[in-house]
Amino acid sequence: MSRKFTAEHEWIEPTDANTATVGITVHAQDALGDVVYVDLPEVGSHHDQGAVAGVVESVKAAADLYMPVSGTVIEVNEALRADPALANRDPLAEGWFFKVKLDDASQLDALMDATAYEALTAK
């Protein structure tokens, strides 16, 4: 399965049929500027699709991190908590935010693919 994107500038990449990794996009980190703090969700917490799951703070602004799908947080990126700038340096890999156990994998189908997301951010 391939990476999907939200209009709120999160990405989600399935790791298997039941779990996925979530982070912010290159566009999001460009808009935010230097990330100085991340408030990650608690492991074991459940969030509905579209709910606020965390916060990203930069030198310019703070932005909510929205849950791309409904599910339970199974892991957070402790390296990101220790070094929030990872979200700027490598937002699509080492700067991931959390991993989630999906309630309903079909929710991924409604999210944007890379082509649709690029069209959104080109506006």
Side-chain angles (χ1 to χ4, degrees):
M1 299 187 92
S2 61
R3 185 173 286 165
K4 297 285 195 150
F5 300 87
T6 71
E8 293 77 26
H9 309 292
E10 288 88 22
W11 59 263
I12 182 167
E13 186 167 17
T15 49
D16 61 37
N18 298 312
T19 60
T21 303
V22 177
I24 62 171
T25 65
V26 172
H27 178 84
Q29 70 83 30
D30 282 346
L32 283 166
D34 294 338
V35 175
V36 295
Y37 174 78
V38 293
D39 180 14
L40 298 172
E42 288 186 32
V43 172
S45 62
H46 182 275
H47 302 272
D48 291 332
Q49 185 176 35
V52 174
V55 177
V56 183
E57 293 184 15
S58 72
V59 294
K60 291 186 199 175
D64 289 332
L65 180 66
Y66 296 96
M67 194 72 158
V69 295
S70 297
T72 302
V73 176
I74 57 172
E75 184 180 347
V76 296
N77 187 351
E78 293 297 344
L80 183 65
R81 196 186 314 261
D83 183 10
L86 277 175
N88 294 116
R89 290 196 306 271
D90 196 4
L92 301 179
E94 295 297 317
W96 61 275
F97 278 63
F98 57 89
K99 295 184 181 182
V100 61
K101 182 176 187 286
L102 308 172
D103 284 355
D104 180 1
S106 71
Q107 287 181 326
L108 293 167
D109 298 337
L111 301 177
M112 289 179 271
D113 63 14
T115 302
Y117 182 72
E118 286 170 18
L120 173 78
T121 57
K123 294 178 182 177

